[in-house]
Every structure is written in structure tokens, then in C-alpha cells.
Amino acid sequence: MVGGLQQWIEAQRERPPAPTRAWLWTLAFGIAVLLFGLHLTQVFPQSGHDIAPGYGPPVLAFEFAGSQADLEAIFGFFTDPQQVTRLAAMRAGNEQDYLYMLLYAGFLASGCLALWRELRVRPLLAAAALPVAAALCDAYENWLLFDIQAAFTAGDYSPAMASLPYPVAAKFLLLAATNVAIGAAATQLGRGCALFGTVAILAAIPTVMAIITPAAFAWALIPSAAGGWILLLALAAVGSWRALVGKRPLVDLDHA
């Protein structure tokens, strides 16, 4: 079985460039990620009680919470009339976040597969597993957040808070690594894409800063991820058009 898979991979690597319909899946997932992401930003609480400005949205402050004081800064004290509203919005957002995990994992994984079929560079095939692993870390993170929120609502401390930093850091690092792979692939598509690919690679740097000092740089996680995602969505749109209408691969985009 392993030998057959290896032969198939080698056959794909040696085949001549050809249009791939994997771009259609990437484009469909990408549009779904964009639309559902806009919806999800309206479900999560729009503001916290007293969170540091560097966190940006309260949901990021919750992901990096490390103490009861952090939770009180996010949701407010029991005397705060907005506490119940914030708790309800956070839970609703995290419940719907499971669908978002499936969408972004499908978008990034199918994009890496489409780039692999275009460029036939083996690391891109391995990179398709990165967003799937990120989504699994995200799911575990959500499970911990539900436990933490339930304990906070009851006035207790959740031991899950001690485990929270690990899946959070792993998720963002895996997504950053995916963006680096996408950016590196874009630099091989021609001069027109090289600049945008380089920008996507450089945009992954703030992820490390945000993990180390979230109170100052957590806000940068969203634009950091957006660099590679927007690039991939644009490539998917052009790749889908060329596959369906032009019957040509994206790999010779610079010579069209």
C-alpha cells in the first residue's frame, strides 16, 4: 500500500503541467470561510469589560486567558450587567466555531493540494496536513474553553486553564506554517506572484510575537493569517478560471 502511494506521488510529480479542478474546491471553501467568518465576528462579544487593547477582539483575550483576573477582564464581575450577555455570546461563538474549523481546514488543505498538483513539489503535499492538525488543536482548545467558561460562570477555577496555552500556540503556529508554505509556492508561480508570496511569508512573523506577548500583539494574529488566506483565495479564483475556461494550468500564469 505504501509502495503504491509512493509510485502515485512520483507519477504526479513527473506529469506535465495541467489544469486542476482542485482550485474549484479551494475557491468554494474560501468563499465559505470569508462569509462565515464575517458572520462569526458578529456572534462573538464585540467588547470586553477591561481587556488590554493589544488583544483586539475579546475572543482572542479568552484564548490567551491565564487567570481568573483575565476572565474578569473579559466578561466582567458578577455585578456587571453585561456579564451574562458576554458569556452567552462567547459560548454561541465557540459553538459555531466548530463549523469554521472545518471550513478553514478544507480551504487551506485543498489549496495546498491544488498548488502541489500545479508545481509538483512534495513538501506542499505534506503541508496539506498542517491546517487539519490546526483544526484539531482548535477543537481541543474549544473543549477547554467551554470547561473554563462553565467554571467561571459557577464562580470556580477550571484546571483546564493550565492546559490552554498549548493547543492555542500549536494552532496559530500550524496556521502560520501553512501560510509560509502557500507563500513559498506562490513565489514559484512567476514574477507577478513572487511579491505577494513574500508578503504572505513575512506576515507569519507576528504570530510568534503574539504567542510570546499576547497582551501587546494578539491583535496581529488576524492580519497575519489573512495575508496567506487572501493570497490563496486570489490564486483559487484565477486557477479556477484558467482550469474551466482557459484549460491551462496556473503554473504558467506569468507567461500567459
Side-chain angles (χ1 to χ4, degrees):
M1 180 178 178
V2 176
L5 178 61
Q6 179 68 22
Q7 291 177 0
W8 179 78
I9 293 175
E10 289 298 328
Q12 292 296 314
R13 186 177 65 84
E14 295 174 0
R15 68 174 176 79
T20 173
R21 294 194 176 186
W23 286 122
L24 296 175
W25 285 102
T26 307
L27 181 61
F29 274 119
I31 294 173
V33 167
L34 177 62
L35 296 178
F36 192 74
L38 292 174
H39 160 74
L40 203 55
T41 58
Q42 301 303 311
V43 176
F44 280 111
Q46 302 302 299
S47 63
H49 172 70
D50 189 27
I51 60 176
Y55 280 116
V59 63
L60 289 177
F62 191 26
E63 292 182 16
F64 286 100
S67 65
Q68 291 294 96
D70 291 339
L71 297 178
E72 291 169 352
I74 298 166
F75 299 111
F77 299 94
F78 68 94
T79 55
D80 188 338
Q82 293 298 315
Q83 187 196 69
V84 174
T85 302
R86 295 190 188 103
L87 287 167
M90 190 68 77
R91 182 171 186 86
N94 281 327
E95 288 173 347
Q96 297 184 37
D97 194 30
Y98 284 105
L99 175 57
Y100 190 63
M101 297 172 202
L102 295 175
L103 293 176
Y104 76 64
F107 170 55
L108 296 174
S110 59
C112 288
L113 290 175
L115 287 168
W116 169 67
R117 288 186 61 84
E118 290 273 4
L119 297 169
R120 301 174 303 285
V121 178
R122 190 175 300 180
L124 284 170
L125 184 60
L130 296 177
V132 177
L136 292 175
C137 291
D138 204 352
Y140 177 50
E141 169 201 313
N142 262 23
W143 181 77
L144 295 175
L145 291 176
F146 283 132
D147 188 88
I148 294 169
Q149 182 171 334
F152 176 77
T153 304
D156 297 326
Y157 172 81
S158 171
M161 197 175 296
S163 302
L164 183 60
Y166 302 106
V168 172
K171 175 187 73 174
F172 286 120
L173 288 175
L174 286 166
L175 291 177
T178 306
N179 278 356
V180 169
I182 293 169
T187 61
Q188 300 182 48
L189 292 175
R191 293 186 298 273
C193 296
L195 174 61
F196 298 104
T198 303
V199 170
I201 294 172
L202 295 176
I205 296 176
T207 299
V208 179
M209 300 165 55
I211 292 174
I212 296 173
T213 315
F217 298 108
W219 64 270
L221 288 168
I222 295 177
S224 178
W229 293 23
I230 293 174
L231 172 61
L232 183 58
L233 184 60
L235 291 176
V238 178
S240 297
W241 174 262
R242 288 172 65 82
L244 290 177
V245 179
K247 306 299 181 183
R248 300 178 65 183
L250 185 64
V251 71
D252 65 341
L253 180 64
D254 202 47
H255 308 289

